[in-house]
Amino acid sequence: MTSPAPTPQELLKIAIEVARNAAETAHRMRAEGVSVAATKSTVTDVVTAADRAVERQVLDALAALRPDDSVLGEEYGGDAAGGPGSGVRWIVDPIDGTVNYLYGLPHSAVSLAAEVDGTVVAGVVRNISTGDEWTATAGGGAWRGGERLRCSTETDLGQALVATGFGYDPRRRAHQARVVVDLIPHVRDIRRLGAAAIDLCYAAEGRVDAYYEKGLAAWDLAAGGLVAREAGLRVDGLRGVPAGPDMVVAAPPALFEPLHARLADLDASGGP
Ligand code: LIP
């Protein structure tokens, strides 16, 4: 007889414990000095020893706490731990914002989400430097430090502070930069902070009004996307495509359509 699926709250409790320990390890390794261990898709797409050590720590912790669950991680790929037995899959980015982490910019995070039967139901994003911690459960709201988060109420795109990001492929960056050139006259300003998971959480609490980016992987999006949705943001792709590698747009309902229209016109999900 299979045991009942854990509740989102039970999964969140595990996610918080594992993410806090992981962030502590990342913080300590940063203080001890960090360097590039290897590069991935391009010479600027770096991985540090800390990315790997932290993901290994998360995998081992989840294997001990929930051995039947599967895990998708940025550094070790899919199902690195348990089998597909429980219907629960964890999605982990050990250090989102690795370039910020490498340069010592205080804007990188451990991002950990739990998915049940393909739906993300719990997530935590913990800033490695500041300790800021955003959490959410499906239907349970988004929180930081015991405060329930509500997204921006801005309705005018021209007044909107919009965060975005650039990929590691120079050709893609060139395309993304052209989009920004044509978008920036139509918004308050652009912010490039360098960690999608935190950018989504900033949008969740109105530190920016909206966020969009092309090229995000599941581990960049899973936890931060839930926090954003639970704070009232619409999180989608362009032209009816769900949020994913092609495009993620996170905006308050009133801003989503005007931002979507601009990004679609500028072919923001196109290019390399
Ligand atoms: C980063 C994202 C960021 C994006 C970077 C990179 P990483 O993830 O969080 O939004 O602009 O190109 O993809 O590589 O630090 O895990």
Side-chain angles (χ1 to χ4, degrees):
M1 192 180 79
T2 57
S3 54
T7 65
Q9 290 69 26
E10 288 166 341
L11 292 169
L12 181 62
K13 194 163 173 293
I14 292 171
I16 290 171
E17 177 196 336
V18 172
R20 285 180 180 172
N21 293 336
E24 207 174 295
T25 298
H27 192 266
R28 173 178 51 73
M29 291 184 76
R30 183 74 201 57
E32 291 165 358
V34 70
S35 59
V36 174
T39 58
K40 300 187 282 187
S41 61
T42 72
V43 291
T44 59
D45 183 2
V46 298
V47 57
T48 69
D51 291 270
R52 292 172 173 165
V54 170
E55 185 161 319
R56 175 49 56 199
Q57 178 179 326
V58 170
L59 295 173
D60 294 346
L62 292 173
L65 293 163
R66 294 199 44 90
D68 295 335
D69 295 357
S70 61
V71 181
L72 171 63
E74 175 169 9
E75 306 310 336
Y76 294 107
D79 298 350
S86 65
V88 175
R89 181 176 75 152
W90 297 87
I91 304 174
V92 56
D93 190 336
I95 301 180
D96 187 39
T98 297
V99 173
N100 286 344
Y101 180 80
L102 182 66
Y103 281 78
L105 295 169
H107 201 80
S108 63
V110 174
S111 174
L112 182 59
E115 198 185 57
V116 174
D117 299 332
T119 302
V120 175
V121 297
V124 55
V125 174
R126 186 169 175 95
N127 184 310
I128 291 163
S129 311
T130 66
D132 280 340
E133 184 180 274
W134 298 267
T135 62
T137 53
W143 304 80
R144 180 170 68 81
E147 186 200 327
R148 182 150 190 174
L149 307 179
R150 304 273 182 221
C151 65
S152 156
T153 55
E154 183 57 65
T155 58
D156 175 5
L157 187 61
Q159 294 287 323
L161 185 63
V162 177
T164 191
F166 304 91
Y168 290 114
D169 178 336
R171 296 163 309 138
R172 174 172 290 174
R173 282 211 293 274
H175 180 81
Q176 291 169 317
R178 282 191 292 274
V179 170
V180 169
V181 166
D182 293 331
L183 178 67
I184 206 165
H186 305 288
V187 298
R188 174 190 295 275
D189 204 348
I190 292 283
R191 290 291 179 271
R192 196 304 190 239
L193 299 164
I198 300 181
D199 295 346
L200 286 159
C201 293
Y202 274 17
E205 61 175 283
R207 289 198 205 183
V208 295
D209 296 300
Y211 163 74
Y212 76 92
E213 186 162 357
K214 171 185 172 68
L216 296 187
W219 43 79
D220 298 314
L221 175 61
L226 182 66
V227 171
R229 284 195 175 94
E230 286 294 324
L233 290 162
R234 179 174 167 187
V235 182
D236 257 321
L238 294 185
R239 302 191 189 88
V241 177
D246 279 352
M247 180 54 70
V248 171
V249 182
L255 275 184
F256 189 92
E257 286 312 331
L259 180 56
H260 176 282
R262 289 271 173 210
L263 293 172
D265 280 356
L266 296 170
D267 188 26
S269 60

